[in-house]
Amino acid sequence: MSSASPSSTSRRAESLDRRHIERRELISRWLLPAAERLLEEQTYPSLTVDQMVAEAELSRSTFYNYFEDKSDLLRALTGDVMSTIVDATRMWWQLAPSGTKDEFHAALAHLFAIYSPHTTLMRAVAESISHDARVREEFMAYMASGQ
């Protein structure tokens, strides 16, 4: 008979889940620059998991331990980037209609500074949105959250 109480077993499971989520986020951060570098030279549909893990110096088994497929990774990467972009748009939307030219310029410059490094990733989203319902749904949810 196990000496672990149901509540301690539950806490261990929550701890494992939290560690898995944290590790998935870390792996996503490692894969983001690798995927963006590869997407500078090729389209998202032609990009393979093997290419991404080689570029990020990760193993395939590590990738598949945290992601179902490259679409799952794209959704995770898009979530991170879109959160940052949506935050950047708030600066624009919070400007008063009577704002100065310099204020509008600063808000747009900030938005472009946040968006520009991720143009390849956003192109990948555009390339997959028409045929991947999960990517489309998540992207549209991020767009709606910025309003």
Side-chain angles (χ1 to χ4, degrees), residues 23-42:
R23 182 81 172 142
R24 178 183 159 107
E25 291 170 356
L26 177 63
I27 299 297
S28 290
R29 285 193 297 271
W30 284 341
L31 284 163
L32 176 60
E36 288 181 331
R37 281 191 301 273
L38 291 167
L39 287 166
E40 289 175 5
E41 304 295 324
Q42 63 192 85

Side-chain angles (χ1 to χ4, degrees), residues 64-127:
Y64 284 110
N65 191 37
Y66 296 98
F67 303 99
E68 294 174 24
D69 52 23
K70 72 178 189 177
S71 177
D72 189 23
L73 173 64
L74 180 61
R75 290 190 316 276
L77 296 177
T78 302
D80 293 341
V81 170
M82 283 303 295
S83 293
T84 306
I85 291 171
V86 166
D87 286 345
T89 64
R90 287 192 180 102
M91 184 176 173
W92 170 261
W93 290 113
Q94 291 174 353
L95 284 172
S98 60
T100 67
K101 183 177 178 180
D102 287 342
E103 290 171 329
F104 285 106
H105 182 268
L108 279 177
H110 175 68
L111 180 56
F112 284 114
I114 298 298
Y115 181 87
S116 294
H118 304 294
T119 55
T120 56
L121 180 68
M122 299 313 293
R123 187 186 76 223
V125 170
E127 290 170 346

